[in-house]
Amino acid sequence: MATIRLTLPDGSVREVPAGTTARQVAQSIGAGLARAAVAARVDGQVRDLDRPLTADAPFAILTEKDPASLDVLRHSAAHILATAVRELFPTAAIGFGPPIEDGFYYDFGVERPFTPEDLTAIEAKMAEVAAKDYPFVREEVDRAEANRRFRDDPLKLERIADLGDDEVISVYTDGPFVDLCRGPHMTGTGRLKHFKLLSAAGAYWRGDSRRQMLQRIYGTAWWKKEDLEAYLHRIEEAKKRDHRKLGKELDLFLFHPFAPGAAFWTERGTSLYNTLNAFMRELQRDGYQEIRTPLLYNKGLWEISGHWGKYRENMFLVHNNETGEQDMSLKPMNCPSHHLLYGSAKHSYKALPIRYSTYDVLHRNEVSGALSGLTRVRQFAQDDCHIYLMESQIPAEVKTLTRFILDYYTTFGLKATLKFATRPEQRIGSDEMWDRAEGALRAALEATGLPYELKEGDGAFYGPKIDFDVADSIGRTWQLGTIQLDYAAPERFDLTYVGEDNSEHRPVVIHRAVNGSFERFIAILIEHFAGAFPLWLAPEQVRVLPIADGQADAAGQVVAQLRNAGIRATLDASNNTLNYRIREGEMAKVPYMAVVGQREADAGTVAIRVRGAGNKQEILPLADFQARLLADIGARALKP
Ligand SMILES: [Zn+2]
Ligand SMILES: [Zn+2]
């Protein structure tokens, strides 16, 4: 019998007869490993433990400790969900059931939407299926057999018809349920112990709005009870922090059906927006040129930039009937207009890098169904920057930009991780250009000494990029900043600089954003801080409360003095009781309240209450309070 060679993660090689399963290899290594094994990684691919091994390959047993094993658990949980649904709804058609971040879903063709009671019943049935510990049995079948097995399910038949002639058709059975699937799965349903169904919602078959509406059930599954509980706590917390809810409660912004996907910013929301914008301006005071360019352009520009061909359905087109000008568009991004400005003058190599920054309004035509609060909008502004530089300047620039971005996030208590994304399938430019761009960006990234994750094929269509993901206070991650290297735009726009040799050369362009869009960043900040902004960001920094009418004037003078010092102070001299007004101030998450009674009015002091410190009060001379506020604001302190 033929022998194959498996290279284990420690570099050692095991020789086994061809046809041995991964489970048998695990057993030969140790009974403990065999018990802990979930699946195997064979030549980079995750596989069922019971599949026979047929060729030499790098080989590893995956246990619950391996992050990739969570996908196996969650996808298997999706099968168990489908098993349970079929038990309770025997005619349900079966769509797709993939693992997703933190969980899984499965789409079903059923006669009516699932109710919360259905979900409870399905969850209980899943526990039964898990308790029976049915093995997941893989079989390879031919097309005729596959069609026969799924003859009652039009969705499965459609998928079988889509499979190429050379594709292996595999089916998996767990107890009463059989599914067309590529795998991999856990060995048996009994490995599913800690799971929960979360919600159900309509979803089009294959995401196509012209196809039938299916019912999607979302769930989550974890190896450990603590992990499941922590996750459920996190989504509860996320619901409480939902920026759409807090935006209303804290009077920051609203949306109106007459302007879908475009926010109305109230006075308080505008204050938040402007404070962030002022901070970015301050950081970019040196070395950046702030510019403003038009919002509306002829299609000629978009033809040069490539947007007209590749991006038009995302743009708002405008027809001007009066002048006969047609086919104009609102800008969906700033880059092309910055390139026009750069190209309108001669630049010496001595002037590079040139850094254009802008906060102009952008429009993108998101379909109305995708709009969601401030995170998916049609109108927004970025802290956008385009840097024109020589190739030799890339390492130093990337290093500076990376530091800049990381320091910015630290101000908000957001921890960032770096991702390096390389050439995607759909791209412009030659392989040689991509080799150079990736080489330059990778070298610059490595020179920073920071760890990063490689995202193969995830780059922009015009160049490789570094993405910055941040983790918020409840452990969710958001993709925010980006540094993108672009060798293509300078060609398309014929951009040049005059080099030391007095002849013209092509610059390289870096696209850089830190917040991404202000709108989305504010949504993230609202949820990250649960609306309790640090003093420097808070739209209302101090609320001054006279105890009674007799101190209203004195309290008014406190407000006037603080406002004079640039502090956003307000007066609440309404007729409500002091306790009621304090409670209102707490609900509004104002960082400081300053109470003025007769004693304070006479002595020129205030009794301050710090947000989150309960009923503690501290009496301070007004001048000292003001100095403390200004120091905290100046330091952009996260906590008072
Ligand atoms: Zn499967
Ligand atoms: Zn750009």
Side-chain angles (χ1 to χ4, degrees):
M1 192 188 287
T3 298
I4 54 170
R5 295 163 57 83
L6 303 174
T7 309
L8 302 187
D10 66 2
S12 65
V13 173
R14 280 185 104 80
E15 296 200 0
V16 298
T20 304
T21 65
R23 197 208 292 258
Q24 288 163 340
V25 177
Q27 271 155 355
S28 74
I29 296 172
L33 181 64
R35 264 194 309 277
V38 175
R41 186 181 280 114
V42 184
D43 204 10
Q45 272 193 333
V46 180
R47 293 265 210 102
D48 298 332
L49 276 184
D50 287 327
R51 265 181 87 173
L53 302 160
T54 53
D56 295 357
F59 177 87
I61 294 290
L62 300 186
T63 67
E64 296 179 7
K65 288 196 191 104
D66 195 302
S69 75
L70 267 175
D71 275 355
V72 178
L73 167 68
R74 288 167 181 164
H75 173 64
S76 304
H79 275 257
I80 294 167
L81 165 61
T83 311
V85 167
R86 263 291 175 79
E87 293 282 282
L88 298 168
F89 301 84
T91 58
I94 307 290
F96 287 93
I100 52 175
E101 195 181 354
D102 298 330
F104 59 90
Y105 68 75
Y106 221 120
D107 289 342
F108 302 100
V110 280
E111 274 151 33
R112 58 165 178 83
F114 294 111
T115 64
E117 293 72 36
D118 291 336
L119 291 193
T120 309
I122 294 166
E123 198 177 276
K125 185 58 82 178
M126 284 175 75
E128 280 175 33
V129 173
K132 295 223 165 97
D133 196 15
Y134 297 120
F136 279 98
V137 180
R138 177 190 165 92
E139 273 175 277
E140 292 182 6
V141 297
D142 62 20
R143 192 173 294 268
E145 173 63 11
N147 283 328
R148 195 188 65 75
R149 293 222 192 165
F150 297 103
R151 63 185 176 271
D152 295 333
D153 189 335
L155 303 182
K156 290 289 175 199
L157 291 175
E158 182 179 327
R159 285 182 58 194
I160 294 166
D162 285 351
L163 291 171
D165 284 335
D166 53 345
E167 275 181 274
V168 173
I169 303 179
S170 57
V171 299
Y172 281 85
T173 306
D174 64 288
F177 182 65
V178 56
D179 203 355
L180 175 75
C181 186
R182 245 183 230 132
H185 305 92
M186 319 185 285
T187 48
T189 60
R191 290 298 275 270
L192 179 67
K193 295 205 163 69
H194 310 293
F195 70 100
K196 185 152 185 56
L197 295 185
L198 300 172
S199 61
Y204 291 110
W205 169 230
R206 305 200 133 165
D208 182 343
S209 61
R210 291 163 302 187
R211 305 294 305 270
Q212 75 187 94
M213 175 73 86
L214 304 177
Q215 297 301 321
R216 175 171 297 177
I217 296 179
Y218 287 98
T220 187
W222 301 81
W223 291 121
K224 293 204 201 91
K225 186 157 182 259
E226 306 90 85
D227 290 348
L228 173 64
E229 281 168 359
Y231 175 69
L232 294 176
H233 175 72
R234 211 156 75 217
I235 50 180
E236 251 341 281
E237 206 34 52
K239 265 187 222 157
K240 273 189 252 162
R241 291 163 179 255
D242 187 326
H243 75 278
R244 293 164 296 189
K245 176 171 160 278
L246 284 174
K248 208 171 288 165
E249 287 170 13
L250 300 176
D251 185 26
L252 298 172
F253 62 87
L254 57 94
F255 287 90
H256 192 281
F258 282 165
F264 289 70
W265 294 96
T266 62
E267 182 190 7
R268 299 165 78 89
T270 303
S271 164
L272 186 57
Y273 202 116
N274 287 346
T275 303
L276 280 175
N277 206 340
F279 179 36
M280 189 53 80
R281 281 202 165 101
E282 187 184 314
L283 294 174
Q284 297 188 157
R285 207 162 33 201
D286 295 323
Y288 291 79
Q289 306 177 24
E290 184 175 334
I291 60 169
R292 291 161 72 86
T293 57
L295 303 192
L296 193 58
Y297 295 86
N298 281 315
K299 75 168 178 185
L301 176 65
W302 309 118
E303 282 169 346
I304 295 174
S305 69
H307 286 85
W308 199 255
K310 283 212 155 102
Y311 200 74
R312 190 169 29 176
E313 70 275 21
N314 300 96
M315 310 204 312
F316 281 103
L317 305 185
V318 178
H319 294 273
N320 187 336
N321 294 328
E322 207 167 294
T323 63
E325 276 181 286
Q326 291 205 325
D327 294 337
M328 303 186 78
S329 162
L330 288 166
K331 64 177 172 186
M333 46 190 75
N334 294 300
C335 342
S337 69
H338 286 194
H339 303 334
L340 286 187
L341 197 69
Y342 177 91
S344 66
K346 269 209 181 312
H347 302 283
S348 155
Y349 71 97
K350 288 185 205 147
L352 301 184
I354 287 177
R355 303 181 189 87
Y356 289 156
S357 96
T358 198
Y359 308 102
D360 283 352
V361 169
L362 303 172
H363 287 86
R364 289 184 195 169
N365 194 3
E366 300 273 359
V367 294
S368 56
L371 300 174
S372 169
L374 293 173
T375 50
R376 290 290 285 275
V377 286
R378 286 176 171 171
Q379 182 195 305
F380 59 96
Q382 297 177 322
D383 55 340
D384 206 0
C385 183
H386 293 99
I387 300 159
Y388 302 83
L389 73 176
M390 294 183 273
E391 202 166 16
S392 62
Q393 294 173 315
I394 291 171
E397 189 68 17
V398 170
K399 191 169 180 187
T400 312
L401 290 175
T402 303
R403 226 341 88 214
F404 180 103
I405 295 174
L406 294 176
D407 286 350
Y408 182 81
Y409 297 150
T410 303
T411 312
F412 301 93
L414 295 165
K415 279 198 191 65
T417 49
L418 279 64
K419 305 240 156 90
F420 176 50
T422 57
R423 68 193 79 183
E425 298 260 322
Q426 290 284 330
R427 60 179 184 261
I428 53 175
S430 65
D431 283 350
E432 191 237 324
M433 178 219 95
W434 278 92
D435 290 343
R436 266 159 47 133
E438 286 174 0
L441 196 58
R442 185 194 292 264
L445 186 52
E446 254 148 32
T448 66
L450 297 167
Y452 65 88
E453 193 187 311
L454 182 64
K455 299 276 264 189
E456 217 117 29
D458 216 25
F461 72 89
Y462 47 74
K465 59 181 183 163
I466 303 171
D467 282 333
F468 294 76
D469 286 1
V470 301
D472 70 12
S473 59
I474 56 169
R476 292 171 305 174
T477 54
W478 307 82
Q479 195 195 313
L480 282 186
T482 185
I483 297 175
Q484 307 185 351
L485 207 54
D486 186 350
Y487 282 75
E491 295 286 339
R492 285 176 168 248
F493 283 84
D494 191 22
L495 304 181
T496 58
Y497 67 89
V498 179
E500 212 168 347
D501 58 1
N502 238 348
S503 62
E504 290 196 331
H505 300 268
R506 283 265 180 260
V508 182
V509 173
I510 292 177
H511 306 250
R512 184 234 64 180
V514 186
N515 289 334
S517 87
F518 279 94
E519 280 73 4
R520 184 162 164 277
F521 189 59
I522 288 173
I524 292 166
L525 289 184
I526 292 171
E527 300 193 0
H528 172 59
F529 291 119
F533 299 108
L535 182 68
W536 72 277
L537 267 179
E540 182 183 2
Q541 294 170 316
V542 183
R543 188 174 288 189
V544 182
L545 313 172
I547 289 181
D549 277 355
Q551 298 96 43
D553 283 350
Q557 281 162 29
V558 170
V559 171
Q561 180 174 331
L562 293 177
R563 292 188 78 91
N564 244 330
I567 294 159
R568 295 185 287 274
T570 61
L571 178 68
D572 181 0
S574 65
N575 283 330
N576 297 315
T577 63
L578 182 64
N579 276 339
Y580 183 90
R581 284 178 286 151
I582 286 173
R583 209 162 52 239
E584 284 205 312
E586 283 166 353
M587 305 262 284
K589 311 204 182 203
V590 182
Y592 286 95
M593 281 182 271
V595 178
V596 181
Q598 198 51 49
R599 222 172 337 152
E600 287 79 26
D602 292 341
T605 58
V606 285
I608 64 164
R609 305 169 63 95
V610 183
R611 181 184 59 205
N615 273 331
K616 261 192 279 167
Q617 287 205 148
E618 189 185 354
I619 315 266
L620 275 184
L622 178 56
D624 292 2
F625 179 44
Q626 179 180 313
R628 191 197 279 190
L629 293 172
L630 291 176
D632 266 9
I633 293 168
R636 297 197 172 83
L638 275 170
K639 293 242 155 67

